[in-house]
PDB file of all heavy atoms in Angstrom:
ATOM      1  N   ASP A1002     -20.809  -4.852  48.712  1.00  0.00           N
ATOM      2  CA  ASP A1002     -20.144  -5.987  49.491  1.00  0.00           C
ATOM      3  C   ASP A1002     -21.251  -7.048  49.874  1.00  0.00           C
ATOM      4  O   ASP A1002     -20.942  -7.809  50.821  1.00  0.00           O
ATOM      5  CB  ASP A1002     -19.453  -5.418  50.626  1.00  0.00           C
ATOM      6  CG  ASP A1002     -20.306  -4.724  51.618  1.00  0.00           C
ATOM      7  OD1 ASP A1002     -21.481  -4.546  51.308  1.00  0.00           O
ATOM      8  OD2 ASP A1002     -19.805  -4.315  52.696  1.00  0.00           O
ATOM      9  N   ILE A1003     -22.359  -7.093  49.095  1.00  0.00           N
ATOM     10  CA  ILE A1003     -23.319  -8.019  49.463  1.00  0.00           C
ATOM     11  C   ILE A1003     -22.887  -9.483  49.016  1.00  0.00           C
ATOM     12  O   ILE A1003     -22.390  -9.670  47.892  1.00  0.00           O
ATOM     13  CB  ILE A1003     -24.731  -7.751  48.881  1.00  0.00           C
ATOM     14  CG1 ILE A1003     -25.203  -6.411  49.258  1.00  0.00           C
ATOM     15  CG2 ILE A1003     -25.682  -8.894  49.190  1.00  0.00           C
ATOM     16  CD1 ILE A1003     -25.456  -6.347  50.783  1.00  0.00           C
ATOM     17  N   ASP A1004     -23.066 -10.519  49.874  1.00  0.00           N
ATOM     18  CA  ASP A1004     -22.693 -11.845  49.495  1.00  0.00           C
ATOM     19  C   ASP A1004     -23.964 -12.462  48.741  1.00  0.00           C
ATOM     20  O   ASP A1004     -24.928 -12.866  49.343  1.00  0.00           O
ATOM     21  CB  ASP A1004     -22.348 -12.706  50.691  1.00  0.00           C
ATOM     22  CG  ASP A1004     -21.998 -14.070  50.322  1.00  0.00           C
ATOM     23  OD1 ASP A1004     -22.073 -14.530  49.199  1.00  0.00           O
ATOM     24  OD2 ASP A1004     -21.538 -14.878  51.245  1.00  0.00           O
ATOM     25  N   LEU A1005     -23.986 -12.324  47.419  1.00  0.00           N
ATOM     26  CA  LEU A1005     -25.153 -12.772  46.573  1.00  0.00           C
ATOM     27  C   LEU A1005     -25.494 -14.279  46.779  1.00  0.00           C
ATOM     28  O   LEU A1005     -26.586 -14.535  46.524  1.00  0.00           O
ATOM     29  CB  LEU A1005     -24.903 -12.340  45.331  1.00  0.00           C
ATOM     30  CG  LEU A1005     -24.723 -10.816  44.990  1.00  0.00           C
ATOM     31  CD1 LEU A1005     -24.529 -10.511  43.540  1.00  0.00           C
ATOM     32  CD2 LEU A1005     -25.892  -9.972  45.476  1.00  0.00           C
ATOM     33  N   ALA A1006     -24.462 -15.016  47.068  1.00  0.00           N
ATOM     34  CA  ALA A1006     -24.625 -16.397  47.105  1.00  0.00           C
ATOM     35  C   ALA A1006     -25.501 -16.866  48.342  1.00  0.00           C
ATOM     36  O   ALA A1006     -26.205 -17.877  48.322  1.00  0.00           O
ATOM     37  CB  ALA A1006     -23.268 -17.264  47.045  1.00  0.00           C
ATOM     38  N   THR A1007     -25.286 -16.103  49.428  1.00  0.00           N
ATOM     39  CA  THR A1007     -25.982 -16.493  50.678  1.00  0.00           C
ATOM     40  C   THR A1007     -26.855 -15.402  51.113  1.00  0.00           C
ATOM     41  O   THR A1007     -27.494 -15.472  52.246  1.00  0.00           O
ATOM     42  CB  THR A1007     -24.989 -16.843  51.749  1.00  0.00           C
ATOM     43  OG1 THR A1007     -24.132 -15.620  51.884  1.00  0.00           O
ATOM     44  CG2 THR A1007     -24.065 -18.007  51.397  1.00  0.00           C
ATOM     45  N   GLY A1008     -27.010 -14.316  50.419  1.00  0.00           N
ATOM     46  CA  GLY A1008     -27.879 -13.143  50.898  1.00  0.00           C
ATOM     47  C   GLY A1008     -29.380 -13.413  50.674  1.00  0.00           C
ATOM     48  O   GLY A1008     -29.880 -14.537  50.219  1.00  0.00           O
ATOM     49  N   ILE A1009     -30.060 -12.382  51.106  1.00  0.00           N
ATOM     50  CA  ILE A1009     -31.537 -12.410  50.918  1.00  0.00           C
ATOM     51  C   ILE A1009     -31.932 -11.486  49.788  1.00  0.00           C
ATOM     52  O   ILE A1009     -31.708 -10.283  49.768  1.00  0.00           O
ATOM     53  CB  ILE A1009     -32.235 -11.796  52.233  1.00  0.00           C
ATOM     54  CG1 ILE A1009     -31.831 -12.681  53.478  1.00  0.00           C
ATOM     55  CG2 ILE A1009     -33.780 -11.780  52.049  1.00  0.00           C
ATOM     56  CD1 ILE A1009     -32.390 -12.102  54.737  1.00  0.00           C
ATOM     57  N   ILE A1010     -32.469 -12.143  48.801  1.00  0.00           N
ATOM     58  CA  ILE A1010     -32.716 -11.471  47.504  1.00  0.00           C
ATOM     59  C   ILE A1010     -34.190 -11.310  47.205  1.00  0.00           C
ATOM     60  O   ILE A1010     -34.887 -12.289  47.260  1.00  0.00           O
ATOM     61  CB  ILE A1010     -32.077 -12.222  46.421  1.00  0.00           C
ATOM     62  CG1 ILE A1010     -30.599 -12.619  46.698  1.00  0.00           C
ATOM     63  CG2 ILE A1010     -32.065 -11.419  45.041  1.00  0.00           C
ATOM     64  CD1 ILE A1010     -29.670 -11.462  46.879  1.00  0.00           C
ATOM     65  N   ALA A1011     -34.581 -10.060  47.032  1.00  0.00           N
ATOM     66  CA  ALA A1011     -36.032  -9.896  46.572  1.00  0.00           C
ATOM     67  C   ALA A1011     -36.322 -10.108  45.147  1.00  0.00           C
ATOM     68  O   ALA A1011     -35.429  -9.683  44.288  1.00  0.00           O
ATOM     69  CB  ALA A1011     -36.393  -8.484  47.068  1.00  0.00           C
ATOM     70  N   ALA A1012     -37.523 -10.549  44.840  1.00  0.00           N
ATOM     71  CA  ALA A1012     -37.922 -10.525  43.403  1.00  0.00           C
ATOM     72  C   ALA A1012     -39.348 -10.546  43.301  1.00  0.00           C
ATOM     73  O   ALA A1012     -40.004 -10.946  44.330  1.00  0.00           O
ATOM     74  CB  ALA A1012     -37.409 -11.831  42.697  1.00  0.00           C
ATOM     75  N   GLN A1013     -39.981 -10.138  42.250  1.00  0.00           N
ATOM     76  CA  GLN A1013     -41.410 -10.092  42.170  1.00  0.00           C
ATOM     77  C   GLN A1013     -41.938 -11.616  41.944  1.00  0.00           C
ATOM     78  O   GLN A1013     -41.316 -12.390  41.185  1.00  0.00           O
ATOM     79  CB  GLN A1013     -41.918  -9.277  40.962  1.00  0.00           C
ATOM     80  CG  GLN A1013     -43.346  -9.105  40.945  1.00  0.00           C
ATOM     81  CD  GLN A1013     -43.838  -8.144  39.790  1.00  0.00           C
ATOM     82  OE1 GLN A1013     -43.019  -7.908  38.926  1.00  0.00           O
ATOM     83  NE2 GLN A1013     -45.072  -7.809  39.748  1.00  0.00           N
ATOM     84  N   THR A1014     -43.044 -11.849  42.606  1.00  0.00           N
ATOM     85  CA  THR A1014     -43.655 -13.185  42.574  1.00  0.00           C
ATOM     86  C   THR A1014     -43.993 -13.578  41.097  1.00  0.00           C
ATOM     87  O   THR A1014     -44.412 -12.749  40.299  1.00  0.00           O
ATOM     88  CB  THR A1014     -44.971 -13.232  43.372  1.00  0.00           C
ATOM     89  OG1 THR A1014     -44.726 -12.904  44.701  1.00  0.00           O
ATOM     90  CG2 THR A1014     -45.537 -14.601  43.377  1.00  0.00           C
ATOM     91  N   GLY A1015     -43.707 -14.852  40.733  1.00  0.00           N
ATOM     92  CA  GLY A1015     -44.037 -15.312  39.433  1.00  0.00           C
ATOM     93  C   GLY A1015     -43.196 -14.914  38.250  1.00  0.00           C
ATOM     94  O   GLY A1015     -43.593 -15.038  37.183  1.00  0.00           O
ATOM     95  N   THR A1016     -42.004 -14.400  38.618  1.00  0.00           N
ATOM     96  CA  THR A1016     -41.181 -13.928  37.545  1.00  0.00           C
ATOM     97  C   THR A1016     -39.949 -14.895  37.301  1.00  0.00           C
ATOM     98  O   THR A1016     -39.716 -15.754  38.097  1.00  0.00           O
ATOM     99  CB  THR A1016     -40.515 -12.511  37.857  1.00  0.00           C
ATOM    100  OG1 THR A1016     -39.844 -12.719  39.124  1.00  0.00           O
ATOM    101  CG2 THR A1016     -41.716 -11.459  38.041  1.00  0.00           C
ATOM    102  N   ILE A1017     -39.338 -14.743  36.211  1.00  0.00           N
ATOM    103  CA  ILE A1017     -38.127 -15.512  35.859  1.00  0.00           C
ATOM    104  C   ILE A1017     -37.108 -15.280  36.826  1.00  0.00           C
ATOM    105  O   ILE A1017     -36.176 -16.173  37.191  1.00  0.00           O
ATOM    106  CB  ILE A1017     -37.735 -15.432  34.439  1.00  0.00           C
ATOM    107  CG1 ILE A1017     -37.340 -13.892  34.202  1.00  0.00           C
ATOM    108  CG2 ILE A1017     -38.682 -15.934  33.538  1.00  0.00           C
ATOM    109  CD1 ILE A1017     -36.745 -13.681  32.789  1.00  0.00           C
ATOM    110  N   GLN A1018     -36.989 -14.075  37.444  1.00  0.00           N
ATOM    111  CA  GLN A1018     -35.968 -13.723  38.417  1.00  0.00           C
ATOM    112  C   GLN A1018     -36.249 -14.453  39.785  1.00  0.00           C
ATOM    113  O   GLN A1018     -35.337 -14.916  40.326  1.00  0.00           O
ATOM    114  CB  GLN A1018     -36.000 -12.194  38.676  1.00  0.00           C
ATOM    115  CG  GLN A1018     -35.462 -11.353  37.512  1.00  0.00           C
ATOM    116  CD  GLN A1018     -36.497 -11.074  36.413  1.00  0.00           C
ATOM    117  OE1 GLN A1018     -37.632 -11.232  36.584  1.00  0.00           O
ATOM    118  NE2 GLN A1018     -36.054 -10.569  35.309  1.00  0.00           N
ATOM    119  N   ALA A1019     -37.564 -14.564  40.141  1.00  0.00           N
ATOM    120  CA  ALA A1019     -37.787 -15.292  41.359  1.00  0.00           C
ATOM    121  C   ALA A1019     -37.354 -16.789  41.173  1.00  0.00           C
ATOM    122  O   ALA A1019     -36.814 -17.385  42.150  1.00  0.00           O
ATOM    123  CB  ALA A1019     -39.301 -15.206  41.626  1.00  0.00           C
TER     124      ALA A1019
END
Side-chain angles (χ1 to χ4, degrees):
D1002 60 354
I1003 300 297
D1004 185 349
L1005 300 175
T1007 59
I1009 301 172
I1010 312 299
Q1013 187 178 12
T1014 302
T1016 60
I1017 56 174
Q1018 289 85 10

